[in-house]
Short mmCIF file of all heavy atoms in Angstrom, two decimals:
data_model
loop_
_atom_site.label_atom_id
_atom_site.label_comp_id
_atom_site.label_asym_id
_atom_site.label_seq_id
_atom_site.Cartn_x
_atom_site.Cartn_y
_atom_site.Cartn_z
N MET A 1 1.42 8.36 10.18
CA MET A 1 2.06 8.69 8.92
C MET A 1 2.26 7.38 8.14
O MET A 1 2.67 6.38 8.70
CB MET A 1 3.41 9.36 9.19
CG MET A 1 4.10 9.82 7.94
SD MET A 1 5.68 10.65 8.24
CE MET A 1 5.22 12.01 9.25
N THR A 2 1.98 7.42 6.86
CA THR A 2 2.14 6.22 6.06
C THR A 2 3.63 5.94 5.84
O THR A 2 4.47 6.83 5.95
CB THR A 2 1.46 6.36 4.69
OG1 THR A 2 2.11 7.38 3.95
CG2 THR A 2 -0.02 6.67 4.83
N ARG A 3 3.93 4.70 5.52
CA ARG A 3 5.33 4.32 5.29
C ARG A 3 5.93 5.08 4.13
O ARG A 3 7.09 5.45 4.15
CB ARG A 3 5.42 2.81 5.06
CG ARG A 3 5.11 2.02 6.33
CD ARG A 3 5.33 0.54 6.17
NE ARG A 3 6.69 0.12 5.97
CZ ARG A 3 7.65 0.08 6.89
NH1 ARG A 3 7.39 0.49 8.11
NH2 ARG A 3 8.85 -0.36 6.61
N GLU A 4 5.13 5.34 3.09
CA GLU A 4 5.63 6.07 1.93
C GLU A 4 6.01 7.50 2.30
O GLU A 4 7.04 8.01 1.87
CB GLU A 4 4.60 6.09 0.80
CG GLU A 4 4.33 4.74 0.19
CD GLU A 4 3.26 3.95 0.91
OE1 GLU A 4 2.68 4.47 1.90
OE2 GLU A 4 3.00 2.81 0.52
N MET A 5 5.17 8.12 3.11
CA MET A 5 5.45 9.50 3.54
C MET A 5 6.66 9.54 4.47
O MET A 5 7.47 10.46 4.39
CB MET A 5 4.23 10.10 4.24
CG MET A 5 3.08 10.38 3.30
SD MET A 5 3.49 11.62 2.05
CE MET A 5 3.71 13.06 3.06
N GLU A 6 6.77 8.56 5.33
CA GLU A 6 7.90 8.50 6.24
C GLU A 6 9.21 8.30 5.46
O GLU A 6 10.23 8.94 5.75
CB GLU A 6 7.71 7.37 7.25
CG GLU A 6 8.65 7.43 8.41
CD GLU A 6 8.32 6.43 9.50
OE1 GLU A 6 7.20 5.91 9.52
OE2 GLU A 6 9.20 6.18 10.33
N TYR A 7 9.17 7.44 4.43
CA TYR A 7 10.34 7.23 3.58
C TYR A 7 10.70 8.52 2.84
O TYR A 7 11.87 8.90 2.79
CB TYR A 7 10.07 6.10 2.58
CG TYR A 7 11.17 5.95 1.55
CD1 TYR A 7 12.39 5.39 1.90
CD2 TYR A 7 10.99 6.36 0.23
CE1 TYR A 7 13.40 5.25 0.97
CE2 TYR A 7 11.99 6.22 -0.70
CZ TYR A 7 13.20 5.67 -0.34
OH TYR A 7 14.20 5.55 -1.26
N ALA A 8 9.71 9.20 2.29
CA ALA A 8 9.94 10.44 1.56
C ALA A 8 10.55 11.51 2.48
O ALA A 8 11.46 12.25 2.07
CB ALA A 8 8.65 10.95 0.96
N LYS A 9 10.09 11.56 3.70
CA LYS A 9 10.63 12.53 4.67
C LYS A 9 12.09 12.22 4.98
O LYS A 9 12.94 13.12 4.98
CB LYS A 9 9.79 12.48 5.95
CG LYS A 9 10.22 13.45 7.00
CD LYS A 9 9.31 13.32 8.22
CE LYS A 9 9.79 14.19 9.36
NZ LYS A 9 8.96 14.01 10.55
N CYS A 10 12.40 10.95 5.21
CA CYS A 10 13.78 10.55 5.49
C CYS A 10 14.69 10.86 4.31
O CYS A 10 15.81 11.35 4.48
CB CYS A 10 13.85 9.06 5.82
SG CYS A 10 13.14 8.63 7.41
N MET A 11 14.22 10.58 3.08
CA MET A 11 15.02 10.85 1.89
C MET A 11 15.24 12.34 1.70
O MET A 11 16.33 12.77 1.31
CB MET A 11 14.36 10.24 0.66
CG MET A 11 14.54 8.75 0.55
SD MET A 11 16.26 8.21 0.58
CE MET A 11 16.91 9.00 -0.87
N ALA A 12 14.23 13.15 1.97
CA ALA A 12 14.37 14.60 1.84
C ALA A 12 15.44 15.12 2.80
O ALA A 12 16.29 15.94 2.41
CB ALA A 12 13.04 15.29 2.09
N ILE A 13 15.42 14.64 4.01
CA ILE A 13 16.41 15.06 5.00
C ILE A 13 17.80 14.58 4.61
O ILE A 13 18.77 15.33 4.68
CB ILE A 13 16.01 14.55 6.40
CG1 ILE A 13 14.75 15.27 6.88
CG2 ILE A 13 17.15 14.74 7.40
CD1 ILE A 13 14.12 14.66 8.11
N LEU A 14 17.90 13.33 4.15
CA LEU A 14 19.18 12.78 3.72
C LEU A 14 19.75 13.58 2.55
O LEU A 14 20.94 13.90 2.53
CB LEU A 14 19.03 11.31 3.35
CG LEU A 14 20.29 10.59 2.89
CD1 LEU A 14 21.34 10.57 4.00
CD2 LEU A 14 19.96 9.18 2.44
N CYS A 15 18.91 13.91 1.58
CA CYS A 15 19.37 14.68 0.42
C CYS A 15 19.82 16.08 0.83
O CYS A 15 20.82 16.60 0.30
CB CYS A 15 18.27 14.76 -0.63
SG CYS A 15 17.97 13.18 -1.45
N LYS A 16 19.13 16.68 1.77
CA LYS A 16 19.52 18.02 2.25
C LYS A 16 20.89 17.96 2.93
O LYS A 16 21.75 18.81 2.70
CB LYS A 16 18.48 18.56 3.21
CG LYS A 16 18.75 19.97 3.65
CD LYS A 16 17.62 20.53 4.48
CE LYS A 16 17.90 21.98 4.82
NZ LYS A 16 16.80 22.59 5.55
N ILE A 17 21.11 16.93 3.75
CA ILE A 17 22.40 16.75 4.42
C ILE A 17 23.50 16.54 3.38
O ILE A 17 24.59 17.10 3.50
CB ILE A 17 22.33 15.57 5.41
CG1 ILE A 17 21.42 15.92 6.58
CG2 ILE A 17 23.72 15.20 5.91
CD1 ILE A 17 21.10 14.74 7.48
N ASN A 18 23.19 15.76 2.34
CA ASN A 18 24.17 15.50 1.29
C ASN A 18 24.51 16.79 0.52
O ASN A 18 25.67 17.05 0.23
CB ASN A 18 23.65 14.43 0.34
CG ASN A 18 24.68 14.00 -0.67
OD1 ASN A 18 25.85 13.84 -0.33
ND2 ASN A 18 24.26 13.82 -1.90
N ARG A 19 23.51 17.59 0.20
CA ARG A 19 23.74 18.85 -0.52
C ARG A 19 24.60 19.81 0.28
O ARG A 19 25.38 20.57 -0.28
CB ARG A 19 22.41 19.52 -0.87
CG ARG A 19 21.75 18.94 -2.09
CD ARG A 19 20.62 19.82 -2.58
NE ARG A 19 19.67 20.18 -1.55
CZ ARG A 19 18.55 19.50 -1.25
NH1 ARG A 19 18.26 18.41 -1.90
NH2 ARG A 19 17.75 19.92 -0.30
N LYS A 20 24.44 19.80 1.60
CA LYS A 20 25.24 20.68 2.45
C LYS A 20 26.69 20.22 2.55
O LYS A 20 27.55 20.96 3.00
CB LYS A 20 24.64 20.74 3.86
CG LYS A 20 23.34 21.52 3.94
CD LYS A 20 22.81 21.55 5.35
CE LYS A 20 23.63 22.50 6.16
NZ LYS A 20 23.13 22.66 7.53
N GLY A 21 26.96 18.99 2.12
CA GLY A 21 28.31 18.46 2.15
C GLY A 21 28.72 17.89 3.49
O GLY A 21 29.90 17.69 3.76
N SER A 22 27.74 17.60 4.33
CA SER A 22 28.03 17.07 5.65
C SER A 22 28.39 15.58 5.63
O SER A 22 28.97 15.08 6.59
CB SER A 22 26.83 17.28 6.58
OG SER A 22 26.57 18.66 6.73
N ILE A 23 28.00 14.88 4.56
CA ILE A 23 28.34 13.47 4.43
C ILE A 23 28.94 13.23 3.05
O ILE A 23 28.73 14.02 2.12
CB ILE A 23 27.11 12.55 4.64
CG1 ILE A 23 26.01 12.84 3.61
CG2 ILE A 23 26.59 12.64 6.05
CD1 ILE A 23 24.84 11.88 3.68
N THR A 24 29.69 12.15 2.93
CA THR A 24 30.31 11.82 1.65
C THR A 24 29.30 11.11 0.75
O THR A 24 28.24 10.67 1.22
CB THR A 24 31.53 10.91 1.85
OG1 THR A 24 31.07 9.66 2.37
CG2 THR A 24 32.55 11.53 2.77
N GLU A 25 29.64 10.99 -0.53
CA GLU A 25 28.77 10.31 -1.48
C GLU A 25 28.61 8.83 -1.09
O GLU A 25 27.52 8.26 -1.22
CB GLU A 25 29.34 10.42 -2.88
CG GLU A 25 28.44 9.90 -3.97
CD GLU A 25 27.16 10.70 -4.13
OE1 GLU A 25 27.14 11.91 -3.82
OE2 GLU A 25 26.15 10.10 -4.56
N ALA A 26 29.67 8.21 -0.59
CA ALA A 26 29.60 6.81 -0.16
C ALA A 26 28.65 6.65 1.03
O ALA A 26 27.85 5.71 1.07
CB ALA A 26 30.98 6.29 0.20
N GLU A 27 28.72 7.57 1.98
CA GLU A 27 27.81 7.52 3.13
C GLU A 27 26.37 7.73 2.68
O GLU A 27 25.45 7.09 3.19
CB GLU A 27 28.20 8.59 4.15
CG GLU A 27 29.50 8.32 4.86
CD GLU A 27 29.98 9.50 5.68
OE1 GLU A 27 29.74 10.66 5.30
OE2 GLU A 27 30.60 9.23 6.74
N PHE A 28 26.18 8.63 1.72
CA PHE A 28 24.85 8.89 1.19
C PHE A 28 24.26 7.63 0.55
O PHE A 28 23.13 7.25 0.85
CB PHE A 28 24.90 10.03 0.16
CG PHE A 28 23.61 10.26 -0.57
CD1 PHE A 28 22.54 10.87 0.05
CD2 PHE A 28 23.46 9.84 -1.88
CE1 PHE A 28 21.35 11.08 -0.62
CE2 PHE A 28 22.28 10.04 -2.56
CZ PHE A 28 21.22 10.67 -1.92
N ARG A 29 25.04 6.96 -0.32
CA ARG A 29 24.57 5.75 -0.99
C ARG A 29 24.29 4.64 0.02
O ARG A 29 23.30 3.91 -0.11
CB ARG A 29 25.56 5.31 -2.04
CG ARG A 29 25.44 6.13 -3.32
CD ARG A 29 26.31 5.58 -4.44
NE ARG A 29 27.57 6.35 -4.38
CZ ARG A 29 28.77 5.82 -4.25
NH1 ARG A 29 28.93 4.53 -4.20
NH2 ARG A 29 29.83 6.59 -4.20
N TYR A 30 25.17 4.49 1.01
CA TYR A 30 24.98 3.45 2.03
C TYR A 30 23.68 3.69 2.82
O TYR A 30 22.87 2.77 2.99
CB TYR A 30 26.17 3.44 2.98
CG TYR A 30 26.02 2.48 4.14
CD1 TYR A 30 26.23 1.11 3.96
CD2 TYR A 30 25.64 2.93 5.40
CE1 TYR A 30 26.08 0.23 5.00
CE2 TYR A 30 25.48 2.04 6.44
CZ TYR A 30 25.70 0.70 6.25
OH TYR A 30 25.53 -0.17 7.30
N THR A 31 23.48 4.92 3.26
CA THR A 31 22.29 5.25 4.04
C THR A 31 21.03 5.14 3.20
O THR A 31 20.00 4.65 3.68
CB THR A 31 22.41 6.68 4.63
OG1 THR A 31 23.65 6.78 5.33
CG2 THR A 31 21.26 6.98 5.56
N LYS A 32 21.10 5.54 1.96
CA LYS A 32 19.96 5.41 1.05
C LYS A 32 19.57 3.95 0.90
O LYS A 32 18.39 3.60 0.94
CB LYS A 32 20.31 6.03 -0.30
CG LYS A 32 19.18 6.05 -1.28
CD LYS A 32 19.62 6.74 -2.56
CE LYS A 32 18.55 6.68 -3.62
NZ LYS A 32 18.97 7.28 -4.87
N GLY A 33 20.56 3.09 0.76
CA GLY A 33 20.30 1.65 0.66
C GLY A 33 19.67 1.09 1.92
O GLY A 33 18.75 0.26 1.85
N LYS A 34 20.16 1.54 3.06
CA LYS A 34 19.60 1.08 4.34
C LYS A 34 18.15 1.53 4.49
O LYS A 34 17.30 0.78 5.00
CB LYS A 34 20.42 1.59 5.52
CG LYS A 34 21.73 0.87 5.69
CD LYS A 34 21.48 -0.58 6.03
CE LYS A 34 22.75 -1.31 6.31
NZ LYS A 34 22.52 -2.72 6.60
N LEU A 35 17.84 2.75 4.05
CA LEU A 35 16.46 3.24 4.11
C LEU A 35 15.56 2.41 3.21
O LEU A 35 14.43 2.08 3.58
CB LEU A 35 16.38 4.72 3.73
CG LEU A 35 16.87 5.71 4.76
CD1 LEU A 35 16.88 7.11 4.19
CD2 LEU A 35 16.00 5.66 6.01
N LYS A 36 16.06 2.07 2.02
CA LYS A 36 15.27 1.25 1.11
C LYS A 36 14.99 -0.11 1.73
O LYS A 36 13.89 -0.64 1.59
CB LYS A 36 15.99 1.10 -0.23
CG LYS A 36 15.91 2.32 -1.08
CD LYS A 36 16.57 2.09 -2.41
CE LYS A 36 16.43 3.31 -3.29
NZ LYS A 36 16.99 3.08 -4.63
N GLU A 37 15.98 -0.68 2.41
CA GLU A 37 15.77 -1.97 3.08
C GLU A 37 14.74 -1.84 4.20
O GLU A 37 13.85 -2.67 4.34
CB GLU A 37 17.08 -2.47 3.67
CG GLU A 37 18.07 -2.98 2.66
CD GLU A 37 19.38 -3.39 3.31
OE1 GLU A 37 19.44 -3.54 4.55
OE2 GLU A 37 20.36 -3.57 2.55
N LYS A 38 14.86 -0.78 4.99
CA LYS A 38 13.96 -0.59 6.13
C LYS A 38 12.51 -0.41 5.68
O LYS A 38 11.60 -0.96 6.28
CB LYS A 38 14.40 0.64 6.94
CG LYS A 38 13.50 0.92 8.12
CD LYS A 38 13.95 2.12 8.91
CE LYS A 38 12.97 2.38 10.03
NZ LYS A 38 13.26 3.61 10.75
N PHE A 39 12.32 0.37 4.61
CA PHE A 39 10.96 0.66 4.16
C PHE A 39 10.50 -0.26 3.04
O PHE A 39 9.46 -0.04 2.44
CB PHE A 39 10.86 2.14 3.72
CG PHE A 39 10.94 3.08 4.88
CD1 PHE A 39 12.11 3.76 5.16
CD2 PHE A 39 9.85 3.29 5.70
CE1 PHE A 39 12.19 4.64 6.23
CE2 PHE A 39 9.92 4.16 6.77
CZ PHE A 39 11.09 4.83 7.04
N LEU A 40 11.30 -1.30 2.75
CA LEU A 40 10.95 -2.32 1.75
C LEU A 40 10.68 -1.69 0.38
O LEU A 40 9.71 -2.01 -0.29
CB LEU A 40 9.74 -3.13 2.22
CG LEU A 40 9.87 -3.81 3.58
CD1 LEU A 40 8.57 -4.47 3.97
CD2 LEU A 40 11.02 -4.80 3.59
N ILE A 41 11.58 -0.82 -0.05
CA ILE A 41 11.47 -0.17 -1.36
C ILE A 41 12.24 -1.02 -2.36
O ILE A 41 13.42 -1.32 -2.16
CB ILE A 41 12.06 1.26 -1.33
CG1 ILE A 41 11.40 2.10 -0.23
CG2 ILE A 41 11.95 1.92 -2.68
CD1 ILE A 41 9.93 2.34 -0.41
N ALA A 42 11.59 -1.37 -3.46
CA ALA A 42 12.23 -2.18 -4.50
C ALA A 42 12.83 -1.27 -5.55
O ALA A 42 12.25 -0.24 -5.91
CB ALA A 42 11.22 -3.11 -5.13
N GLU A 43 13.99 -1.64 -6.06
CA GLU A 43 14.62 -0.90 -7.16
C GLU A 43 13.84 -1.17 -8.44
O GLU A 43 13.46 -2.29 -8.72
CB GLU A 43 16.07 -1.38 -7.35
CG GLU A 43 17.04 -0.76 -6.40
CD GLU A 43 17.34 0.70 -6.70
OE1 GLU A 43 17.25 1.11 -7.88
OE2 GLU A 43 17.64 1.39 -5.75
N ASN A 44 13.63 -0.15 -9.23
CA ASN A 44 13.00 -0.30 -10.53
C ASN A 44 14.08 -0.62 -11.54
O ASN A 44 14.83 0.26 -11.94
CB ASN A 44 12.24 0.96 -10.91
CG ASN A 44 11.46 0.79 -12.19
OD1 ASN A 44 11.39 -0.31 -12.72
ND2 ASN A 44 10.88 1.86 -12.66
N THR A 45 14.18 -1.88 -11.92
CA THR A 45 15.24 -2.29 -12.83
C THR A 45 14.73 -2.48 -14.25
O THR A 45 15.47 -2.95 -15.12
CB THR A 45 15.88 -3.61 -12.35
OG1 THR A 45 14.87 -4.60 -12.26
CG2 THR A 45 16.54 -3.43 -11.00
N ASP A 46 13.49 -2.12 -14.53
CA ASP A 46 12.93 -2.23 -15.88
C ASP A 46 13.60 -1.22 -16.79
O ASP A 46 13.64 -0.03 -16.50
CB ASP A 46 11.43 -2.01 -15.87
CG ASP A 46 10.68 -3.10 -15.16
OD1 ASP A 46 11.26 -4.18 -14.98
OD2 ASP A 46 9.52 -2.87 -14.77
N GLU A 47 14.14 -1.69 -17.90
CA GLU A 47 14.77 -0.81 -18.87
C GLU A 47 13.77 -0.31 -19.90
O GLU A 47 14.04 0.61 -20.64
CB GLU A 47 15.93 -1.55 -19.57
CG GLU A 47 17.07 -1.90 -18.66
CD GLU A 47 17.81 -0.67 -18.15
OE1 GLU A 47 17.90 0.33 -18.89
OE2 GLU A 47 18.29 -0.69 -17.01
N ALA A 48 12.62 -0.96 -19.99
CA ALA A 48 11.60 -0.58 -20.97
C ALA A 48 10.87 0.68 -20.51
O ALA A 48 10.64 0.91 -19.33
CB ALA A 48 10.59 -1.70 -21.15
N ALA A 49 10.54 1.52 -21.47
CA ALA A 49 9.70 2.70 -21.23
C ALA A 49 10.07 3.79 -22.12
O ALA A 49 10.89 4.38 -22.49
CB ALA A 49 9.71 3.15 -19.80
#
């Protein structure tokens, strides 16, 4: 499985857990950040478009 697909799978599961209310918004943001670090995802900070 490619890293992009693995990241997308993890995010889908995390979002589902968040929608069910099993974790808090702070836990969601923290885990999302950790996943971005693990999979080397860069934030898109460009304001142009």
Side-chain angles (χ1 to χ4, degrees):
M1 184 179 301
T2 65
R3 290 186 67 74
E4 293 87 2
M5 290 297 294
E6 193 172 343
Y7 172 74
K9 182 180 175 183
C10 289
M11 283 304 298
I13 292 169
L14 180 62
C15 289
K16 185 173 184 177
I17 292 170
N18 187 42
R19 279 192 309 268
K20 288 180 75 176
S22 298
I23 60 175
T24 65
E25 187 66 28
E27 291 170 327
F28 172 75
R29 281 187 265 123
Y30 175 78
T31 307
K32 184 178 175 182
K34 285 296 185 182
L35 285 173
K36 285 183 177 184
E37 287 177 14
K38 179 180 178 186
F39 289 102
L40 305 175
I41 305 296
E43 279 287 332
N44 186 6
T45 58
D46 293 341
E47 294 293 327

